[in-house]
Amino acid sequence: MARAESGASKDEERGAAAKRPEPAGGADRRGECLRRNAGAPARYARIVAAFCAEHHNLAGVGASLAIVEGDGPPFVATAGSACLAGQAVTADTRFRVGSITKLLTAALVLRQVDAGRLELDAEVARVLPELAAGVDERAGAITWRQLLTHTAGVPDPSPLELGAEWLTALGERPLWREPGALWSYSSDGYALVGAALARLREVEFSRLFADELLAPLGLGAAVLEPGLALRTGAACGHLGRGERARAFSVVDDLALGTGDARWTAPAGGAILAAAELVTAVRDLVDPGRSPLSPTARGELLAAEVPTFERPGERYGLGVRVRTSAGGPAIYGHSGATGDFAADLVFVPERKFAAAVLSNTGDPLRITVATVLQELVGVAPERAAAMRPPARYTGTYRAARLGEVVTISAQGAGLRLSAPGLGLAEVPLEHAGDDRFLAAKRPELGGFTFVFAGADARASDLRGHVFVGARVE
């Protein structure tokens, strides 16, 4: 598949292209997927088998897999429908890729660094003074690098909580931690990056993104414009599985999930075909193709910040990296919007990239693991067992908020209580390594216990709704 041309003309061609409809019923998703991809090269046979089986087992609506190796065009496999009872997914069907967008936003910042317009370690408040005008004076010291590496301490409330005056509302919340102290994931931090870039260049973020990053990578404006993506054949997102699935267009799902908050685009707004994504990422980090300088590419991939989410995992600028025993460093990111799921992995020195996209909320992680095992020689990771409960128990405090979370043990399990959050004795379910989920409370997201010090007990508790240090 050739790389997409820049501009809307190619997008309109995609939208007008005829797409083969999914067979009536569609109950045998695996069989239909295997038939559709029967011409796959033998090298990819086991990967396609895993892709089709996982699509079937998860009762998926549609999915797309793309792999690029070296300088050639990507291999693409597809499954299911772009929308319920609609056109089949093709190599050109675009999906929301959620937080994978952060890698591209970081690259856009580095384009400004290359042009001498900003420095990664300069305070963002020089460009966006609102950042220093909130309730927490520490925010004035936040740097571009800290926002891009999730070490700024910025809280991460949902767009629906913040509303249209999001910048002011975010400033009314104290930082979780001192800037630079702890990795703590924040999509709102990337929204601040987008707002600061727009202020710096005196142009809307979407226009800057299209002109200075998408165009050099051979992509058009539909990547960040939901209306244009919809008109040119983007997949629907779906909530629920099988017959209970409900479809939402890429315009409607933005309104549903964020209240049509376009300011979230730098954190998770990209809409891409799997083939476009892997080609763009390969080209972004390839010395012969990249629009970034060698220094900027080095910054993008340096990955010096430990996440404490998985053993050995570190974070660069908009990208995670882990090093396997005896194997290459695996870079990547995932994206989840509730009705779309995406996973990206790449190995820069091999010009290798793979992406698996789904138009439901279920990621196809077995497919990703099969890709890495078959093509990179990296065995699937096994999450560590839960540590003894006493390693996690204690009281954790978010100092500036005065919020306190208590973790207690009950048998071999844990319970979480937080009066300020209205939580009492909520069971925590182990999710691998030091990660936990609140039982039957998906709105709380996950919690990670951080072991950053020499003490045998956790030093910090980090989650979407709370980040605090252990005080006893």
Side-chain angles (χ1 to χ4, degrees), residues 40-353:
R43 174 174 174 77
Y44 302 126
R46 292 185 63 179
I47 295 169
V48 169
F51 171 68
C52 292
E54 194 167 22
H55 169 67
H56 175 86
N57 293 340
L58 293 175
V61 176
S64 185
L65 158 71
I67 301 166
V68 65
E69 299 180 272
D71 296 319
F75 163 76
V76 180
T78 65
S81 301
C83 295
L84 282 173
Q87 298 168 323
V89 173
T90 73
D92 292 329
T93 302
R94 289 185 169 126
F95 296 70
R96 281 199 183 279
V97 300
S99 288
I100 293 172
T101 309
K102 292 179 172 67
L103 172 62
L104 302 177
T105 296
L108 180 59
V109 171
L110 288 168
R111 292 274 284 165
Q112 313 312 306
V113 174
D114 277 342
R117 298 186 181 103
L118 64 85
E119 296 178 358
L120 284 176
D121 295 310
E123 295 86 356
V124 181
R126 296 180 188 178
V127 177
L128 197 68
E130 295 94 329
L131 192 58
V135 299
D136 196 326
E137 71 280 0
R138 298 175 298 176
I142 290 173
T143 67
W144 295 88
R145 188 189 301 275
Q146 289 167 345
L147 288 175
L148 294 174
T149 57
H150 298 297
T151 57
V154 174
D156 198 31
S158 76
L160 295 175
E161 288 182 60
L162 295 177
E165 299 299 322
W166 70 274
L167 192 52
T168 300
L170 188 60
E172 292 172 352
R173 297 171 182 250
L175 300 183
W176 284 127
R177 293 293 293 272
E178 186 79 22
L182 182 71
W183 187 89
S184 182
Y185 196 88
S186 176
S187 288
D188 289 337
Y190 267 74
L192 289 171
V193 170
L197 285 176
R199 187 76 58 80
L200 175 71
R201 299 301 309 282
E202 299 182 331
V203 65
E204 290 185 2
F205 176 81
S206 59
R207 176 65 181 275
L208 184 66
F209 194 85
D211 290 349
E212 297 200 8
L213 187 70
L214 297 180
L217 292 173
L219 296 168
V223 169
L224 210 65
E225 292 293 342
L228 182 54
L230 177 61
R231 293 195 297 274
T232 54
C236 301
H238 298 84
L239 296 177
R241 291 183 177 183
E243 295 180 354
R244 292 179 295 177
R246 295 177 58 198
F248 298 87
S249 75
V250 290
V251 172
D252 291 340
D253 80 332
L254 184 66
L256 175 71
T258 72
D260 202 30
R262 299 299 178 96
W263 53 266
T264 62
I271 305 167
L272 287 156
E276 290 178 318
L277 177 57
V278 297
T279 305
V281 169
R282 177 197 63 187
D283 293 356
L284 184 63
V285 298
D286 177 30
R289 294 185 174 92
S290 180
L292 301 177
S293 70
T295 300
R297 290 197 309 277
E299 290 281 10
L300 187 72
L301 302 175
E304 297 176 349
V305 179
T307 69
F308 297 105
E309 285 197 336
R310 295 167 184 83
E313 184 182 72
R314 305 181 81 81
Y315 204 87
L317 304 185
V319 65
R320 298 174 186 262
V321 62
R322 61 182 175 88
T323 302
S324 57
I330 308 297
Y331 291 82
H333 215 293
S334 61
T337 65
D339 56 349
F340 286 94
D343 280 288
L344 165 73
V345 291
F346 61 102
V347 181
E349 65 267 28
R350 296 191 185 182
K351 298 184 181 180
F352 167 86

Side-chain angles (χ1 to χ4, degrees), residues 381-453:
E381 285 187 311
R382 295 187 181 277
M386 178 179 164
R387 305 178 197 234
R391 302 282 296 276
Y392 305 107
T393 56
T395 301
Y396 300 82
R397 184 186 302 276
R400 292 296 179 100
L401 291 175
E403 181 61 74
V404 172
V405 167
T406 300
I407 302 296
S408 59
Q410 183 171 23
L414 300 175
R415 291 185 178 271
L416 180 151
S417 296
L421 298 175
L423 303 175
E425 296 293 309
V426 176
L428 294 182
E429 299 175 342
H430 187 234
D433 299 316
D434 296 309
R435 305 185 306 277
F436 292 78
L437 297 173
K440 300 180 181 179
R441 298 294 300 270
E443 76 279 5
L444 297 177
F447 292 89
T448 299
F449 290 87
V450 176
F451 290 80

